[in-house]
Amino acid sequence: MAKKELAYAEAMAEIEKILTRLRSEEMDVDSLAAEVKRATELIASCKARLRKAEADVNKELE
């Protein structure tokens, strides 16, 4: 089954949780790489959504 794509706000909330765990040193070394990979994926998704929203707005303003 394919993963459901998170809404922008949900992705940002997950990124914040990962950052909080990193800052508070709650994360062990074994899970660090996986968490960084997940955060990178979420950031890329958020950037893509922002670029699409910007393009949509610019299209409407033309």
Side-chain angles (χ1 to χ4, degrees), residues 18-29:
I18 292 169
L19 287 173
T20 299
R21 287 194 302 271
L22 283 169
R23 289 180 185 138
S24 67
E25 300 177 11
E26 291 179 23
M27 197 173 301
D28 62 19
V29 173

Side-chain angles (χ1 to χ4, degrees), residues 1 4 8-11 13 18-19 28 32 34 39 41 45 50 55:
M1 188 166 117
K4 174 189 160 259
Y8 181 85
E10 292 171 324
I18 292 169
L19 287 173
D28 62 19
L32 179 63
E41 292 168 352
S45 173
L50 289 171

Side-chain angles (χ1 to χ4, degrees), residues 32-57:
L32 179 63
E35 291 284 356
V36 169
K37 181 181 179 201
R38 178 63 178 155
T40 302
E41 292 168 352
L42 291 166
I43 291 167
S45 173
C46 288
K47 283 183 176 181
R49 286 173 183 258
L50 289 171
R51 282 192 292 273
K52 183 181 181 324
E54 180 181 30
D56 291 347
V57 168

